[in-house]
Amino acid sequence: MTSSLPRFMPRRALGRTGFVATAVGLGDIADRAVPRASLVDTLRRGLDAGLNVIDTAPNYEEGLSEEVVGEALRGRRDGVFLIDKVDEHDAPVAPQVEGSLRRLGHERVDLFVFHAVSEPDAWRRLAAPGGGMEQLGACVREGKARFRGISSHHPDVLVAALRSGLCDVVMFPLGPFVDTRYVDDVLPLARSLGVGVVSFKTFGAGKLLGDTEGYGRPLTARPRGKVGSGGHDDRGAPVLPHLSVEECVRYTLTLDPDVMLMGMSHPNEQDAALHAANAWAPLSDETLGHVRSRARAAIDGKGAVWWNPPAVSDVG
């Protein structure tokens, strides 16, 4: 038996799209270890709580995510802002868009973004005449999507994309452990240009909450000598530092993206995340600094932090 969820109301227009979005959105929920019907029910449970932004992609469990999202939205597509991705940057765009629409079983997506545009050269190719952004613009004109944009794990790429004027919405990491350029450079620039902001990495790919190299992958080399507040586990091994769901959610909402995406594949995950979001109040600068410090400790030794790349001098 799961607890009832708080009710969320639309609070802010998502950039120049005009769509008034809830502060929290539903991220990738695909998990082949979970029965498909359970995934659909969990997604609908979030919709019943009022959440009105859903994100998916073809490469989330090889199309399963799109199929689950499409099924969950049958009969309730109105009033939901649906985000999908173009995974292959250098392949023709139209066939990828059409494949996604087939798996979804819907005629149109609100926003298609190029997925993980995290290398400067990748953005240059997409922005070039005849490149992916121009092809995606044609899909918008044909009514297969309403808006276009990118998701990225590179602050400098995002700045270049925003300055190009080609993006209606950008998606990027915001949370207790992200490069300060996302907060100091990308976020205010998007605001000034009227470009929507959808954030991810609230939990640092799960690294901030548990002992993982990201998205449930086990640590290949467990750090030693780092004992968290819990001391040791039942085998005598050091317990690594962690943040709580509430700390991560409160921190990210204080940064104030238009929408904070969270992957919530199970009802208990929804309970924790959505109750934390509902009870949110802005954190003080002092508390933000304290959470950042603890996040550094919680993520240390847990593999690559691919969303915090070094700066580059010229993206184009």
Side-chain angles (χ1 to χ4, degrees):
M1 184 78 175
T2 57
S3 63
S4 60
L5 293 176
R7 180 74 183 176
F8 289 81
M9 300 298 292
R11 66 152 192 171
R12 177 188 296 165
L14 181 55
R16 57 176 170 251
T17 68
F19 181 85
V20 182
T22 49
V24 178
L26 292 154
D28 170 34
I29 66 163
D31 185 343
R32 290 194 181 274
V34 177
R36 177 173 173 147
S38 296
L39 295 173
V40 172
D41 288 345
T42 300
L43 185 51
R44 286 177 174 163
R45 185 172 183 258
L47 294 171
D48 290 342
L51 303 186
N52 67 1
V53 178
I54 300 181
D55 171 73
T56 186
N59 73 359
Y60 293 162
E61 292 284 3
E62 299 175 336
L64 174 64
S65 176
E66 290 179 318
E67 294 170 2
V68 167
V69 167
E71 185 174 346
L73 285 177
R74 288 192 188 113
R76 53 193 309 171
R77 177 70 178 85
D78 291 345
V80 176
F81 193 91
L82 177 56
I83 303 171
D84 208 335
K85 315 275 190 0
V86 177
D87 286 334
E88 301 298 328
H89 300 166
D90 297 318
V93 171
Q96 296 185 72
V97 166
E98 290 160 4
S100 288
L101 294 176
R102 276 197 307 275
R103 287 184 291 274
L104 287 163
H106 294 277
E107 296 181 353
R108 186 178 71 175
V109 162
D110 294 286
L111 169 68
F112 267 107
V113 302
F114 283 95
H115 200 177
V117 185
S118 302
E119 297 292 336
D121 283 345
W123 170 249
R124 292 188 190 100
R125 293 193 299 274
L126 287 173
M133 289 300 288
E134 185 174 307
Q135 295 176 50
L136 188 52
C139 292
V140 171
R141 291 191 296 275
E142 291 167 6
K144 297 172 183 176
R146 297 173 60 213
F147 305 103
R148 60 181 175 169
I150 67 167
S151 75
S152 178
H153 298 91
H154 201 307
D156 300 331
V157 169
L158 287 155
V159 168
L162 286 165
R163 289 175 175 165
S164 75
L166 296 173
C167 295
D168 300 302
V169 176
V170 289
M171 304 176 67
F172 58 89
L174 285 177
F177 194 84
V178 300
D179 191 300
T180 57
R181 290 173 290 167
Y182 292 116
V183 180
D184 296 338
D185 300 335
V186 179
L187 186 57
L189 180 60
R191 289 260 188 270
S192 70
L193 296 172
V195 174
V197 170
V198 176
S199 75
F200 47 77
K201 293 296 185 293
T202 300
F203 307 121
K207 297 171 188 276
L208 297 176
L209 303 181
D211 299 344
T212 173
E213 290 190 352
Y215 302 122
R217 296 192 302 271
L219 292 176
T220 55
R222 185 183 177 90
R224 296 183 180 276
K226 296 180 179 178
V227 182
S229 60
H232 293 72
D233 64 21
D234 57 5
R235 294 172 297 174
V239 175
L240 303 181
H242 300 151
L243 296 184
S244 69
V245 168
E246 182 178 6
E247 286 174 308
C248 294
V249 169
R250 290 187 67 192
Y251 188 101
T252 305
L253 288 176
T254 299
L255 297 180
D256 202 28
D258 293 333
V259 180
M260 175 186 66
L261 285 180
M262 293 189 291
M264 298 172 282
S265 300
H266 305 277
N268 65 313
E269 293 174 346
Q270 282 185 332
D271 287 346
L274 297 183
H275 280 97
N278 185 60
W280 169 78
L283 300 180
S284 67
D285 289 343
E286 180 181 1
T287 303
L288 288 170
H290 177 65
V291 174
R292 279 196 302 272
S293 177
R294 294 186 55 241
R296 285 193 295 272
I299 214 161
D300 188 32
K302 296 180 182 177
V305 183
W306 58 89
W307 59 91
N308 288 351
V312 296
S313 59
D314 178 31
V315 178

